Amino acid sequence: MTDNKYINKGFCIWCQKSRPEVSFNNEPHIIPHALDCDDIGLDICDSCNHYFGTAAKGECNTNLVFFEVFKTFGLFTSNRDENSWKYYRSAYFKYEHKKNLITLKQPFRLQSLTKQFKRSLYEVFLQKYHKETGCGLDKEMDDVRNFARYGIGNLSVHYAVNKIFLGAQDKTVFSLGKLEEVKNYGYYTFWFMSQIFFLEIIPGRAMLMKDIFLNEYAQRYIINIDGDQGIIELKDIRQLDFFMQRWSKKNIDTNNNLHL
């Protein structure tokens, strides 16, 4: 294996270091390989690649959080049957079938897990963005870089809550056509396994265009059946409708349990 295989610009899109200070020997999967994705990124040094795949003290692993969330969507949606729950395994969540209840395992903290999931979405975005455009090192991407790699700031993530599937269970996370959104609104629409997230790529522009952008996309993506649908800001990972039971009344109790 040569050291040039995973290099385009020669500078890591995360730490912005180059050889010989850092190496580029290992395959940097854009999406966790365990989700049957083989898309390999470019200009991601071995140190940063290792960082995203390793849990730091007191924090969840961003790659594993991404995997756990979308694995759950996959298991309990398109292929769901009366035995699906028997195959559910998670490092972070516990599902009690008799109670139809999902809880967060100890000692993980809800706030940390939520932030790590949000960071994982931005991680995937920048790696795919750079592979397709070669522009991941641009200064305009510094807010994404700092949040995903170093946990600096707290970029917002909005989530489309709908009662229907809007697309196939594919692995689409990037569309060059969607880059016009970043240019015009400061947002990018992140679509993966029929789940739609809206990422705040350029905060200044997004702040000015937020209401226009979200209202426009609500009209495109949301089918309002009973008033519970819409685009919400993701502040709590329990807001994700893991089991797609959007027809049922949900309640979060004082013990941080999500009842479906």
Side-chain angles (χ1 to χ4, degrees), residues 111-149:
Q111 183 178 8
S112 174
L113 188 66
T114 301
K115 183 172 182 178
Q116 293 300 88
F117 175 66
K118 290 166 60 178
R119 290 176 67 189
S120 77
L121 296 177
Y122 283 97
E123 171 198 348
V124 171
F125 165 79
L126 188 60
Q127 293 181 163
K128 187 64 174 178
Y129 174 79
H130 182 70
K131 182 176 182 178
E132 297 296 333
T133 68
C135 298
L137 287 157
D138 289 0
K139 186 173 179 59
E140 198 170 43
M141 292 293 117
D142 281 353
D143 289 299
V144 173
R145 186 176 2 265
N146 288 333
F147 180 57
R149 176 63 176 88

Side-chain angles (χ1 to χ4, degrees), residues 243-257:
F243 303 102
M244 298 299 289
Q245 294 188 352
R246 292 165 180 171
W247 289 268
S248 301
K249 186 70 176 177
K250 296 189 286 292
N251 175 62
I252 297 175
D253 65 27
T254 56
N255 295 315
N256 292 329
N257 299 323

